[in-house]
Amino acid sequence: KRLKENALKPKAEQKDKVTVIFDGSFEIRSSVINATFIIIVAFLPLFFLSGMEGKLLAPLGIAFIVALFASLIVSITLTPVLASYLLTNDKMLLKQHKESWLVERLQKVYSNALNKVMEMKKAVLIVAGGLFLVSLFVMSQLGRSFLPEFNEGSLVVSAVSLPGISLEESNKIGTQVEKALLSVPEIKITTRRTGRAELDEHAQGVNAAEIDAPFTLDERSRAEFMADVREKLAGISGVNITIGQPIGHRIDHMLSGTRANIAIKIFGNDLNKLFTLSNEIKNEIQNIEGLVDLSVEQQVEIPQIQIKAKRAVLNQYGITIGQFNEFVDVAFAGEKVSEIYEGNKTFDLMLRFDDANKGKIENIKNAMIDTYDGKKIPLYYVADIVSASGPNTINRENVQRKTVVSANVTGRDQKSVVADIQKIINEKVKLPEDYHIEYGGQFEAEAEASKTLVLTSLISLLIIFLILYQEFKKVKTASIILINLPLALIGGVFSIYFTSGILSIPAIIGFITLFGVATRNGILLVSHYETLEKEGLSLYETVIQGSKDRLSPILMTALTAGLALIPLALASDLPGNEIQSPMAKVILGGLLTSTLLNIFIVPVVYYLSNRKKATNEK
């Protein structure tokens, strides 16, 4: 623009083109640098996220900041140099001294619209304020989830039958599950794992199986496909089935210790009572909308041999309780005493009684234990050995016994489902004394991450305000630019409301990005207003001319960002795009409202806030 203005001047008044380029670059350099740092500061909350969400989203922030900083370096170094080579042809500058037809048309329409807006300033501000309040209300009604539901193109079906079941029977149930899955048209192949070795990092009994089932959606939607899968699997009895996906399954497991979205953990002392409470809770909440794959941790009574020490008799024979426990442990469980190497393999050498001394309850009773004076006596002299039954497993968390009711969520946000669960349990389930319930799952991580993002975003806003104050040296001017934040919020909220209706962590990251980008538009406008005021224009002329001059750059920055995000926003169902799509939708919606409202609201507010100063100067 400055080169075109220079080319139109008489030869005697023209400046050297390199000087014009330098002055033009210097004119907006401070604004460009500050706008870039504002966007970088807006991304800082990402780096305060801990846990899994931090590992997922921090690389996104790093990539964005590095790319943005690189573009800043290019814009203040390479771009002016290229301009000195490519934009200094006088014929070209004189030929293009006018704006393009499209830009001229847009500026004319915009000028007319802005003049009309300036005639009804208060009404426009009331409408904008009303939209902001409506968006806050809508935001409070949005569902909440940690991450959007993934579409990984593969199912992980967990099938857990009763503990103690034989491998053959477990295999039959696994085969039934596979046949049911293969009856769904979209599933062509399944792979099953039944049980895992005891030394595996994720050991499982033979009663547990995992089936991987890749699928390809064609004629039906994902919701219809999942409903069909659940219907087919519902006909298999004697097994708890949970349907997940490879990554989602592991995320759930890391967050709650279960394979499902929600884990209701009941803590107490009596395992039988815990199991009864778990089934009671399951029956009460099973009709909640959106709750699927509801199951109670499988538990059965299994036969046991219990060896109970007779402390008084032990004392008579001079055997301490420690010696007694050590004898029972080594004799019947075994103790590693050495290692055997065969080729590249290592085997533990275990010392314990043979089957002739521990295979039957009579043999255990007659096992010989040493007394203090070296004599040997049968074990039943000093212990009661009885056949009994007990739970197959005892699960603990923070030293307390627990049972778990797990469930997945579909068609609703997790936070509202958990709220319904808590309401029903509080009203209908009476817990005995010393028993309590804890809730775990993705919703817990969402609440923690949201709290962190809100607190750190407030700090970021303060830093952004300080950067703006350093740029303009006026609290009032910095505040005018920050008006873009509520303007951007309006579009972001409505874009979520009309698409998924669920506010997730990626969507919140979208708002953070949006606030940085929206602030930049305000800087472009206000900095140009101040430049024109220094040139002697009246306040009204400054607002109209400055807004008209900045229309093209503001629309171009919004369009370049918007066009780049459209593919991400539209491809929300594609595998791998689940996290990016909510962010893109928020930024697109926010860019639309912040750009449209920014070019009208900021001029009005700037005019009203500086009107007294202009009157005093006159």
Side-chain angles (χ1 to χ4, degrees):
K1 182 179 178 180
R2 296 303 184 208
L3 283 169
K4 289 176 183 179
E5 290 174 354
N6 188 59
L8 291 171
K9 292 178 180 178
K11 282 284 184 183
E13 296 179 19
Q14 288 184 8
K15 295 180 182 179
D16 177 61
K17 292 183 178 62
V18 173
T19 304
V20 174
I21 290 168
F22 177 83
D23 291 342
S25 175
F26 188 79
E27 182 183 330
I28 62 164
R29 183 170 301 170
S30 177
S31 297
V32 168
I33 291 172
N34 284 319
T36 302
F37 277 107
I38 281 171
I39 299 175
I40 290 173
V41 168
F43 257 82
L44 289 182
L46 274 180
F47 301 101
F48 288 90
L49 290 173
S50 59
M52 184 185 61
E53 60 271 24
K55 289 180 171 60
L56 274 173
L57 297 169
L60 176 71
I62 293 169
F64 192 94
I65 288 172
V66 170
L68 198 65
F69 191 75
S71 73
L72 171 65
I73 301 301
V74 169
S75 69
I76 61 177
T77 55
L78 183 61
T79 301
V81 172
L82 289 174
S84 69
Y85 284 108
L86 303 174
L87 299 180
T88 52
N89 185 295
D90 283 334
K91 290 182 180 179
M92 178 194 73
L93 290 170
L94 289 169
K95 186 178 179 182
Q96 297 181 357
H97 71 277
K98 288 186 177 182
E99 297 287 2
S100 68
W101 174 86
L102 178 61
V103 172
E104 283 189 344
R105 185 71 180 166
L106 284 172
Q107 287 181 341
K108 185 178 179 181
V109 171
Y110 174 55
S111 294
N112 293 334
L114 185 57
N115 278 305
K116 289 179 181 177
V117 165
M118 294 297 284
E119 293 172 5
M120 42 181 174
K121 296 181 279 291
K122 290 184 179 179
V124 170
L125 291 179
I126 290 170
V127 170
L131 283 172
F132 175 61
L133 292 176
V134 170
S135 69
L136 289 179
F137 173 75
V138 171
M139 192 173 188
S140 69
Q141 303 303 307
L142 293 174
R144 302 287 288 274
S145 286
F146 178 54
L147 293 173
E149 192 172 356
F150 291 167
N151 180 19
E152 301 176 42
S154 181
L155 298 179
V156 174
V157 180
S158 172
V160 182
S161 51
L162 289 172
I165 194 172
S166 68
L167 180 60
E168 289 76 17
E169 193 61 31
S170 182
N171 186 47
K172 286 179 184 177
I173 293 173
T175 303
Q176 277 185 279
V177 175
E178 286 187 282
K179 286 180 178 178
L181 288 170
L182 290 170
S183 68
V184 179
E186 289 83 356
I187 297 175
K188 306 296 182 187
I189 188 172
T190 59
T191 307
R192 174 161 55 94
R193 297 175 296 280
T194 298
R196 288 178 187 263
E198 288 183 10
L199 297 180
D200 192 282
E201 291 180 356
H202 188 182
Q204 287 186 147
V206 295
N207 64 308
E210 279 186 353
I211 300 100
D212 293 330
F215 62 88
T216 303
L217 296 178
D218 189 12
E219 297 178 358
R220 296 195 292 181
S221 68
R222 190 169 182 278
E224 291 172 328
F225 162 72
M226 291 299 293
D228 189 17
V229 169
R230 288 191 166 97
E231 185 183 345
K232 296 283 174 58
L233 294 177
I236 302 172
S237 59
V239 61
N240 280 346
I241 292 178
T242 304
I243 302 172
Q245 298 179 93
I247 297 174
H249 166 89
R250 282 155 182 79
I251 289 173
D252 288 329
H253 218 152
M254 284 190 292
L255 292 175
S256 67
T258 68
R259 299 176 177 84
N261 300 155
I262 298 171
I264 306 166
K265 304 172 185 178
I266 305 99
F267 293 88
N269 297 318
D270 189 325
L271 285 173
N272 289 326
K273 186 64 178 175
L274 287 173
F275 190 63
T276 302
L277 284 170
S278 298
N279 282 294
E280 184 182 350
I281 288 171
K282 177 188 175 184
N283 294 332
E284 293 291 353
I285 67 173
Q286 62 186 353
N287 294 322
I288 291 177
E289 182 188 352
L291 210 59
V292 294
D293 304 336
L294 189 60
S295 62
V296 175
E297 200 170 43
Q298 295 276 34
Q299 197 172 71
V300 295
E301 294 281 316
I302 58 173
Q304 297 176 345
I305 292 177
Q306 297 180 357
I307 302 174
K308 302 176 182 179
K310 300 176 184 175
R311 292 178 179 265
V313 181
L314 281 175
N315 188 47
Q316 291 176 12
Y317 286 102
I319 304 171
T320 66
I321 193 68
Q323 291 169 335
F324 173 79
N325 288 337
E326 184 182 8
F327 169 80
V328 172
D329 186 37
V330 175
F332 303 114
E335 182 178 288
K336 176 183 172 183
V337 294
S338 185
E339 290 180 340
I340 297 173
Y341 295 91
E342 287 187 6
N344 294 325
K345 295 181 180 179
T346 305
F347 301 93
D348 292 338
L349 182 61
M350 302 293 293
L351 175 65
R352 62 185 167 216
F353 281 2
D354 58 13
D355 288 341
N357 287 286
K358 66 182 181 70
K360 298 178 181 178
I361 192 169
E362 289 301 322
N363 294 342
I364 295 173
K365 286 181 178 181
N366 293 317
M368 307 303 287
I369 183 173
D370 294 329
T371 63
Y372 77 99
D373 56 2
K375 294 179 181 177
K376 294 184 182 295
I377 59 171
L379 184 60
Y380 73 88
Y381 279 23
V382 293
D384 290 323
I385 297 112
V386 296
S387 178
S389 63
N392 59 295
T393 56
I394 300 176
N395 291 323
R396 296 178 185 269
E397 189 173 313
N398 297 327
V399 193
Q400 294 178 293
R401 289 182 175 184
K402 69 166 186 177
T403 54
V404 178
V405 180
S406 59
N408 283 326
V409 177
T410 185
R412 281 184 72 187
D413 66 290
Q414 292 173 13
K415 189 171 183 180
S416 65
V417 171
V418 172
D420 287 350
I421 291 172
Q422 291 173 330
K423 182 181 177 183
I424 289 174
I425 290 176
N426 291 337
E427 290 176 357
K428 298 186 177 181
V429 179
K430 188 174 181 180
L431 296 176
E433 191 177 350
D434 295 330
Y435 286 73
H436 72 279
I437 293 175
E438 292 180 9
Y439 300 87
Q442 290 192 20
F443 73 95
E444 213 175 16
E446 182 273 331
E448 186 65 32
S450 296
K451 183 179 176 183
T452 301
L453 288 174
V454 168
L455 291 174
T456 52
S457 294
L458 291 175
I459 296 170
S460 293
L461 284 176
L462 177 61
I463 296 172
I464 289 171
F465 179 80
L466 293 175
I467 293 173
L468 291 171
Y469 179 76
Q470 179 271 330
E471 165 75 6
F472 296 101
K473 304 296 187 291
K474 297 175 186 174
V475 171
K476 181 169 62 177
T477 306
S479 302
I480 291 170
I481 294 170
L482 286 179
I483 289 173
N484 282 278
L485 303 189
L487 300 182
L489 183 75
I490 295 169
V493 168
F494 281 109
S495 69
I496 296 175
Y497 179 75
F498 289 114
T499 52
S500 65
I502 296 175
L503 184 63
S504 60
I505 297 303
I508 294 175
I509 302 302
F511 279 110
I512 290 171
T513 311
L514 182 59
F515 290 160
V517 175
T519 306
R520 179 182 61 189
N521 290 341
I523 293 175
L524 282 172
L525 268 179
V526 174
S527 64
H528 193 49
Y529 290 162
E530 294 199 339
T531 301
L532 292 177
E533 278 191 291
K534 290 174 184 176
E535 292 177 3
L537 270 68
S538 69
L539 178 60
Y540 190 85
E541 289 173 336
T542 294
V543 169
I544 300 298
Q545 186 61 43
S547 301
K548 183 181 171 182
D549 289 344
R550 282 291 183 251
L551 179 65
S552 184
I554 287 174
L555 291 180
M556 279 198 298
T557 53
L559 277 171
T560 50
L563 290 172
L565 291 167
I566 285 173
L568 293 178
L570 293 179
S572 57
D573 292 333
L574 290 181
N577 197 40
E578 299 91 340
I579 291 178
Q580 300 171 76
S581 183
M583 294 173 59
K585 289 172 182 175
V586 167
I587 298 171
L588 271 174
L591 276 177
L592 181 64
T593 57
S594 71
T595 302
L596 291 177
L597 293 174
N598 174 70
I599 57 179
F600 292 107
I601 302 300
V602 171
V604 168
V605 175
Y606 187 85
Y607 178 83
L608 291 174
S609 62
N610 289 278
R611 187 169 50 183
K612 287 184 179 179
K613 174 187 164 187
T615 304
N616 293 335
E617 287 176 354
K618 286 180 182 179

